[in-house]
Amino acid sequence: MEYSIKEYLDNQKLLIDNLLHDCIDRLTIPEQLKQSMIYSVNAGGKRLRPILLLASFNVYGKDNSIAMPAAASLEFVHTYSLIHDDLPAMDDDDYRRGQLTNHKAFDEATAILAGDALLTYSFEIIANDHQLNHEQKTILLQLLSQTSGPKGMVAGQILDMKAEDHPVTLEALEQIHALKTGELLRFAVYAGAYLGGATEKELQSLTEFAYYLGLIFQVQDDILDITGDENKLGKPVGSDEINQKSTFPKLLGLEGAIEKKQWYIEKAKRSLANANAADSVLMDLTIYFSERDH
Amino acid sequence: MEYSIKEYLDNQKLLIDNLLHDCIDRLTIPEQLKQSMIYSVNAGGKRLRPILLLASFNVYGKDNSIAMPAAASLEFVHTYSLIHDDLPAMDDDDYRRGQLTNHKAFDEATAILAGDALLTYSFEIIANDHQLNHEQKTILLQLLSQTSGPKGMVAGQILDMKAEDHPVTLEALEQIHALKTGELLRFAVYAGAYLGGATEKELQSLTEFAYYLGLIFQVQDDILDITGDENKLGKPVGSDEINQKSTFPKLLGLEGAIEKKQWYIEKAKRSLANANAADSVLMDLTIYFSERDH
């Protein structure tokens, strides 16, 4: 099982890497912009969001080529958010996954524009895809703009920034991560399942699932920042403590955070069962996310 | 005539100001993000793009309420581009239209996110509008993503940045402005006319019109930077010379630039005639843009 999910992830990652490369490669745009977009798209992401989207599609549908544009689009939105997050005015990171961040490899202006370009292009990919009908495009674009925009991911980023200055409640911390991480995961599972033909009730349950999956993802991030192996993580541990960041272990203690994670996993499992996806790869991915060591 | 177009512009601006305010006001989002978005949306724009969109609609259609979401959406894209353009890493402007720029009134991180939010929200407005059918939404979202993204406005911004370091040819200068300014004008006239029921041939001619209108707009900008009145412009003249910016007067001389503008106007007129819009407000707006003193 441990091996097979890893093999699955590796295969899907390869598929998505090729897809993303093709999407950018076909653009006829100024070379500097293209290089800057390619640089961050190729910067070693695990492609968890598009993998989740395709996995969700496969619970309900067969030929997942129709889900490819949405998968690419989602990863481009994620990439844009990382480029802007890393900027000096935001997290001011020089490295991400062991490579120079976009504004360090190029310059700040180019990084801002590469982020803007990736965000805008993500909408174009869905709007222009020839496999999707107009209604499918509308549903996907509604969902993408909601989950990534001022009511979704961007709201999470603003709230996260403000939370750096002062301690927050567990409820507030959950809200931040639900918006900053959970909303794009919602796009992933909802868009995939919708294109695969899931029912309205199944889509509702998957929306719940995405919420808990985002929290599982984040609580594990916080736990790894305390117990993780720096070599596997590729970044120093203990940085949350130094940065006085609000985390689950800080609010609940390490044991409490681990218990909370278990509770989120139970909720996620129940949501998957309600979505008729209890025995799907989505379950395996949930366990994988919750146990990951990097 | 001079008076009536001014009155028309004032009336339309009021209509659009209210529309934009309502669009942001109805958002339930973190207060800091909302204030930052509102600040730049209310920062005294002339609303030329949405006015152009509605004018284009009215050449072919009657009740322009169906064109309102596209008009709002376009102005939000324009506003986002100004917020990001003003950032220290880009043009590094502290003031715009006599008011502090977004990153000065708030902070850089908030300004980056407010820009991201406005861009994303512009897609949401069209995707979620209840008056438009799925096909109309698709056409508008295709056009918006193309004109504002890596093949459109963002390409123009990258090329414009690179052109600051070295002199460019007239052809390259035209390309920069066609992308940086002309593409959003293309969205304005195309989206308006499409929703108004223009034919494919009329839409083609309007696409040409937008190209020339963008150049008219820019050559007049360059001319005003030499001959303009600082009080009317609300900014110092001669800054292009100081910043060693490539301009039409620098390439062609002041007289040559004025002649070139006249040539663009003739081309714009011919395009409008081909679009069966020779006697429309679009013609009045073209003259107004070409003669404006601020």
Side-chain angles (χ1 to χ4, degrees):
Chain A
M1 156 69 197
E2 178 64 20
Y3 175 69
S4 74
I5 185 77
K6 206 186 160 313
E7 197 172 30
Y8 172 83
L9 287 168
D10 287 346
N11 289 339
Q12 294 298 88
K13 176 172 153 41
L14 206 62
L15 181 78
I16 289 156
D17 284 347
N18 289 332
L19 168 71
L20 299 177
H21 181 268
D22 291 349
C23 282
I24 306 274
D25 199 48
R26 68 177 183 232
L27 282 172
T28 305
I29 58 172
E31 197 54 27
Q32 187 183 345
L33 182 60
K34 191 169 185 169
Q35 289 310 321
S36 169
M37 291 165 78
I38 287 177
Y39 179 83
S40 287
V41 168
N42 285 351
K46 295 189 284 276
R47 315 302 188 200
L48 296 179
R49 287 158 190 79
I51 287 173
L52 199 59
L53 193 151
L54 297 179
S56 183
F57 176 92
N58 283 323
V59 175
Y60 308 96
K62 285 241 160 59
D63 171 19
N64 66 14
S65 67
I66 199 176
M68 288 296 177
S73 176
L74 173 58
E75 187 67 4
F76 289 145
V77 170
H78 175 58
T79 307
Y80 122 77
S81 78
L82 298 182
I83 295 175
H84 282 191
D85 259 0
D86 287 337
L87 287 167
M90 307 271 286
D91 289 350
D92 194 16
D93 282 318
D94 292 354
Y95 289 90
R96 175 177 287 277
R97 304 185 191 115
Q99 289 189 47
L100 286 174
T101 46
N102 196 296
H103 64 275
K104 281 290 169 182
F106 296 83
D107 55 62
E108 261 187 78
T110 304
I112 292 167
L113 291 173
D116 293 344
L118 284 166
L119 172 59
T120 316
Y121 188 43
S122 70
F123 289 97
E124 185 176 345
I125 287 171
I126 294 174
N128 275 351
D129 189 73
H130 64 278
Q131 301 174 92
L132 301 166
N133 65 38
H134 293 311
E135 183 170 0
Q136 288 171 324
K137 290 178 183 184
T138 297
I139 300 283
L140 292 178
L141 292 168
Q142 282 174 346
L143 191 65
L144 186 64
S145 55
Q146 278 168 31
T147 54
S148 67
K151 291 181 237 171
M153 185 177 67
V154 176
Q157 286 167 311
I158 280 271
L159 294 177
D160 194 29
M161 259 169 44
K162 289 191 68 174
E164 277 166 22
D165 307 333
H166 60 279
V168 298
T169 62
L170 177 63
E171 200 184 359
L173 191 65
E174 286 181 335
Q175 195 206 5
I176 290 169
H177 295 311
L179 292 168
K180 195 175 173 182
T181 307
E183 283 288 275
L184 282 198
L185 299 184
R186 176 160 77 95
F187 180 84
V189 295
Y190 193 110
Y194 163 73
L195 292 172
T199 65
E200 195 53 50
K201 184 182 163 298
E202 288 167 337
L203 292 171
Q204 282 304 320
S205 299
L206 286 172
T207 295
E208 259 181 54
F209 166 69
Y211 173 81
Y212 292 113
L213 188 63
L215 294 175
I216 291 166
F217 201 88
Q218 192 55 49
V219 71
Q220 183 64 4
D221 233 34
D222 291 352
I223 291 169
L224 285 174
D225 194 68
I226 296 172
T227 67
D229 176 336
E230 297 200 350
N231 291 326
K232 284 184 182 166
L233 285 171
K235 63 179 179 184
V237 299
S239 63
D240 290 344
E241 191 58 42
I242 294 165
N243 298 332
Q244 300 207 301
K245 222 182 121 187
S246 289
T247 66
F248 288 95
K250 196 170 292 174
L251 283 173
L252 306 169
L254 181 57
E255 284 308 308
I258 292 168
E259 271 171 41
K260 195 75 189 169
K261 181 177 73 171
Q262 209 50 50
W263 186 79
Y264 293 144
I265 293 172
E266 290 311 313
K267 297 293 273 185
K269 277 186 183 174
R270 191 163 313 172
S271 305
L272 277 185
N274 289 335
N276 301 314
D279 297 324
S280 69
V281 181
L282 292 178
M283 193 63 242
D284 301 339
L285 288 172
T286 304
I287 302 300
Y288 177 81
F289 283 155
S290 74
E291 294 175 350
R292 72 200 163 84
D293 58 9
H294 66 283
Chain B
M1 157 70 198
E2 177 64 20
Y3 175 69
S4 74
I5 185 76
K6 207 185 159 311
E7 197 173 30
Y8 172 82
L9 288 168
D10 287 345
N11 288 339
Q12 293 298 87
K13 176 173 153 40
L14 204 61
L15 181 78
I16 290 156
D17 283 348
N18 289 332
L19 168 72
L20 299 177
H21 181 270
D22 290 350
C23 282
I24 307 275
D25 198 48
R26 68 178 182 232
L27 282 173
T28 306
I29 58 171
E31 196 54 28
Q32 188 183 344
L33 182 59
K34 191 168 184 169
Q35 289 311 320
S36 168
M37 291 166 78
I38 287 177
Y39 179 83
S40 286
V41 168
N42 285 351
K46 295 190 285 275
R47 315 302 187 200
L48 295 179
R49 288 158 190 79
I51 287 173
L52 199 59
L53 193 151
L54 297 180
S56 183
F57 176 92
N58 283 324
V59 175
Y60 308 96
K62 284 241 159 60
D63 170 20
N64 67 13
S65 67
I66 200 176
M68 289 295 177
S73 177
L74 173 58
E75 187 68 4
F76 289 145
V77 171
H78 175 59
T79 307
Y80 122 78
S81 77
L82 298 182
I83 295 175
H84 282 191
D85 258 0
D86 287 337
L87 286 167
M90 307 272 287
D91 289 350
D92 195 15
D93 282 318
D94 292 354
Y95 290 90
R96 176 176 288 276
R97 302 184 193 116
Q99 288 188 49
L100 286 173
T101 46
N102 196 297
H103 64 276
K104 282 290 170 184
F106 296 84
D107 56 62
E108 260 187 79
T110 304
I112 292 167
L113 292 173
D116 293 345
L118 283 167
L119 172 59
T120 315
Y121 188 43
S122 70
F123 289 97
E124 186 177 345
I125 287 172
I126 294 174
N128 276 350
D129 189 74
H130 63 278
Q131 301 173 92
L132 301 166
N133 64 38
H134 293 311
E135 182 171 359
Q136 287 172 324
K137 290 177 184 185
T138 297
I139 300 283
L140 292 179
L141 292 168
Q142 283 175 346
L143 191 66
L144 187 63
S145 56
Q146 279 167 30
T147 54
S148 66
K151 291 181 237 171
M153 184 177 67
V154 176
Q157 285 166 311
I158 280 271
L159 294 177
D160 194 29
M161 260 168 44
K162 290 190 69 173
E164 278 166 21
D165 307 333
H166 59 277
V168 299
T169 62
L170 177 64
E171 199 184 359
L173 191 64
E174 285 180 333
Q175 195 205 4
I176 290 169
H177 295 310
L179 292 168
K180 196 176 172 183
T181 307
E183 283 288 275
L184 282 197
L185 299 184
R186 176 160 78 92
F187 179 84
V189 295
Y190 193 109
Y194 163 73
L195 291 172
T199 66
E200 196 54 48
K201 185 183 164 295
E202 287 167 336
L203 292 171
Q204 282 304 321
S205 298
L206 286 172
T207 295
E208 259 182 53
F209 165 69
Y211 174 81
Y212 292 112
L213 188 63
L215 294 174
I216 291 166
F217 202 87
Q218 192 55 50
V219 71
Q220 183 65 3
D221 235 34
D222 291 352
I223 290 169
L224 284 175
D225 193 67
I226 296 172
T227 65
D229 176 337
E230 297 201 351
N231 291 327
K232 284 184 184 168
L233 285 170
K235 63 179 180 184
V237 300
S239 64
D240 290 345
E241 191 58 42
I242 293 165
N243 298 332
Q244 300 208 302
K245 222 182 123 188
S246 288
T247 65
F248 287 95
K250 196 170 291 176
L251 283 172
L252 306 169
L254 182 57
E255 283 308 308
I258 291 168
E259 270 171 41
K260 196 76 188 168
K261 181 177 75 171
Q262 208 49 48
W263 187 80
Y264 292 144
I265 292 172
E266 290 311 314
K267 297 293 273 186
K269 277 186 183 173
R270 190 162 315 173
S271 305
L272 277 185
N274 288 335
N276 302 313
D279 297 322
S280 69
V281 180
L282 292 178
M283 194 63 242
D284 301 338
L285 288 172
T286 304
I287 302 300
Y288 177 81
F289 283 154
S290 74
E291 293 175 352
R292 74 199 161 85
D293 57 10
H294 66 285

